[in-house]
Amino acid sequence: MRRWTVAALLLAAFAAGCAGISPPTRFYSLAPTVAAEPVAERPLGLAVGPVLVAEYLRRPQIVTRLDETRLALADFDQWVEAFDIMLPRVLAENLAAALGTDRISLTPVPRDMRIDHQVEVDVVRFDATQGGDVVLDALWRVYGRDGERLLQQSRSLITRPLPPIGEDGLAYDAIVVAMSEATAELARTIAAAVRGARR
Amino acid sequence: MAVRRRRLPSAIWAIPIVAALIGAYLVWVDYSTRGPTITITFDDATGLVAGKTIVKYKDVEIGKVATVALSDGLSKINVTAAMRPEFAPFLTDGARFWLVSAEVSASGISGLETLLSGSYVGADPGPTDGRRQRVFSALPEPPLIRADVPGTEFILHADQLGGIGRGSIITFQGFTAGRILGAELSDDRRSTVFRAFVQSPYDELVTPTSRFWNASGFSVDVSATGVTVNIDSLPTVLAGGIGFDAGAGGSRAEAGARFRLFPNRQAAEDAAFTARVEMIAVFADSVRGLRPGAEVSLRGLRIGRVKDVGLVFDPAQRSFTVPVRLEVEPERFRMADDAAQRTPEQGMDRLRALVASGLRAQLQTASLITGELLVAFDFFPDAPVAALGDQDGVPVVPTVPTQLETLSASLTAILNKVAGLPLEGLVSDLRTTVQHVDALVASPEIKTSLAAVEGSAQAIRRLSDDLAAATPAVVAGLSQNLGQLEATLRSARAVLGTADGTLAPDSPLRTDLTRLLRELQSAARSIRVFAEYLERHPEALLRGKGVPTR
């Protein structure tokens, strides 16, 4: 009997400690927004990768920039998958749509796939400044002939404006939309370079 | 005539008289139903409240604290308590009182109910035939055993406390059989004395030959035979425990009987062999690795132990000898004839006869790894004749050298023989032989021999010519062999192809490996993210993720 009393007391203390309930977390995903070109008769084989994402983005939380040196992690607004896994995939989907091909793969490519071009991307910065813009800063390279010859390399700095901050702080929906658009813009730039290299 | 008028008191007087009678009756009733008031002296009266704290026996109220006051010297606290009359017969010199408050210790949690109800005074009744008493001294702590629990108290002696203390459990074959009531230093301050209470019916099992041992904690014994881990029940591990056995039987031990508390069960079992015969064995070998307590064995079975190892210099002989004192426990072996009581003289005669028929002591290696030695008794019928010696009444058993020593002795003998060989004569003989060979080579016979050798060479050349003629057949055989080699290479390539397929980028093995790696990567990432979040918000473990504050 005495033992039960002790157990009940301990349980009560434990339960009291656990009374707090976490608020729900909202999850987001980048969306491919490039309008799909019709698939060409002889679609080109494209390998996308490696896409290197800056280390500070390799986490589920959405990163926003408070000022030039200060960043914030959104504990309740998170990417549904790790950002450095999602970004290459969405970029590849955008590229496939922009180039009108269905023969596209992230590296490592399957052994039997014929590759015409390979695209490498280094994402240096991709975040939203509070109340400002979404900034995507990326270095990219296009290789030809099974990824052996460097055809073109360039750096793109893409900004997308954000709507002003509302009553309840940052509008993460708007940030995610703007980031999706920035990704699509980068895909269009790279696609143009690939087309140019083929001519 | 004067009327003698007897004046009767007025009837009105009856009323105060009746009132007085009723009053007296009430006083008497009150007095007779009121129990005795006792005084209990406490050292510490934490939580005692006058008029509120109750005196309990078996959780039933038997009295109430009336006053709490300091004694004259301020060192004690005198508590008076009004007891219920039905408890009065038990307020004799055996009654005990103590303060009950919550206590948490390794052996358990007690008095928890006092957290809510406040402390109370526990009571244990004295014998009804005892001397009546009204002033008591409270026990410093609650007694472990109530006065009415049947059982017997014994005294245990130990060299050390060894984790045993008040409240330690006494077990008999795993059953809880009692408690240690207290521990204190002996009068000479050299050993520890325990008061052990063994409750009925286990106290019947305690005989004068019973052995008690410390069963506290757990012990790990690593020896040449392996690793042995002994763990008793959890309470004994936490609070210490004592085990005992029934010993060799016999009548029941009396209350207050004294026993030795052995440090462990093994020691208790070894102590069963009480008879010891001391012997000396003098060794000429090195006794490195022989330490007191080492085994004395006969045909591999333990029959005793080494008591101590000495070193004696003999100036007359200018040599050192190592007399080793042994304790042989004759109860460890049975006599086949099991004759009537043996006297020490008879035993000595028997030992003498054994030595005459070849019984010797020898140093043997107990463990090759640790280099530990033991003293082994065995029969060496070929050993040099020796008789049982005597040193201050202790028999001296003759010894034979160790196997290693025997070996080194025979090696020395061989070396001596080699040294005795006539080497110089051999060398001169050899030299003459060489001179003879020299003369032989110079002789004309050798020249003829050389001519014969030349003839042989010609024969060999002829043979090789014949072989060249037969070559095509050999080549054909060779090409056949080559064909077989090619087949072998082909199958080897097939095998390699299979291996290549297994390790190819799109092979199932590779795919699975890649997937596994990806899973690992994502698991590692989850852990990293979790750890990061925890680092920022350690309280999230208890309270969940907090709402961000801006």
Side-chain angles (χ1 to χ4, degrees), chain A residues 27-171:
Chain A
F27 290 102
Y28 301 88
S29 168
L30 286 177
T33 57
V34 173
E37 297 277 324
V39 175
E41 194 146 306
R42 202 178 144 275
L44 75 159
L46 187 68
V48 178
V51 178
L52 299 178
V53 178
E55 186 66 33
Y56 79 99
L57 292 167
R58 298 180 60 175
R59 58 183 77 247
Q61 293 95 341
I62 295 182
V63 183
T64 51
R65 200 168 276 269
L66 301 175
D67 57 40
E68 208 46 45
T69 50
R70 222 149 64 82
L71 294 149
L73 300 182
D75 283 328
F76 295 96
D77 294 278
Q78 301 193 346
W79 297 113
V80 77
E81 62 184 314
F83 189 68
D84 55 314
I85 290 172
M86 178 164 61
L87 181 65
R89 205 193 59 242
V90 175
L91 191 65
E93 279 179 59
N94 277 330
L95 276 172
L99 287 169
T101 177
D102 51 4
R103 293 167 50 78
I104 195 158
S105 166
L106 292 170
T107 53
V109 292
R111 190 165 59 153
D112 299 335
M113 187 174 154
R114 184 181 55 83
I115 296 298
D116 296 311
H117 293 283
Q118 185 174 350
V119 174
E120 277 182 26
V121 184
D122 285 1
V123 177
V124 180
R125 174 181 165 183
F126 194 7
D127 52 46
T129 52
Q130 283 192 335
D133 308 313
V134 161
V135 178
L136 168 57
D137 187 358
L139 292 141
W140 48 268
R141 289 172 290 279
V142 177
Y143 293 86
R145 266 200 270 142
D146 286 0
E148 275 167 26
R149 198 159 63 94
L150 179 63
L151 297 176
Q152 188 178 355
Q153 66 173 337
S154 182
R155 179 168 188 167
S156 297
L157 186 67
I158 298 162
T159 55
R160 277 279 175 279
L162 282 173
I165 299 176
E167 290 290 305
D168 48 348
L170 282 174

Side-chain angles (χ1 to χ4, degrees), chain A residues 2-3 6, chain B residues 101-113 141-142 144 165-169 179 234-240:
Chain A
R2 187 176 292 170
R3 203 177 301 160
V6 178
Chain B
S101 50
E103 188 186 2
V104 180
S105 70
S107 55
I109 301 172
S110 65
L112 260 195
E113 70 275 16
E141 44 200 349
L144 290 167
R166 194 182 121 84
S168 289
I169 298 167
R179 285 283 182 103
L234 199 58
T236 62
V237 171
L238 285 175

Side-chain angles (χ1 to χ4, degrees), chain B residues 462-510:
Chain B
R462 271 202 301 280
L463 185 67
S464 71
D465 288 347
D466 292 351
L467 207 63
T471 303
V474 176
V475 168
L478 208 61
S479 82
Q480 198 185 341
N481 282 345
L482 275 175
Q484 278 168 6
L485 191 66
E486 207 175 295
T488 314
L489 276 177
R490 218 174 288 132
S491 45
R493 192 172 300 143
V495 171
L496 281 177
T498 319
D500 199 33
T502 316
L503 297 173
D506 56 350
S507 69
L509 182 67
R510 273 285 288 269

Side-chain angles (χ1 to χ4, degrees), chain B residues 276-292:
Chain B
R276 289 196 168 81
V277 177
E278 201 164 294
M279 293 183 194
I280 293 177
V282 182
F283 293 102
D285 329 49
S286 158
V287 292
R288 176 191 290 274
L290 189 72
R291 49 181 180 77

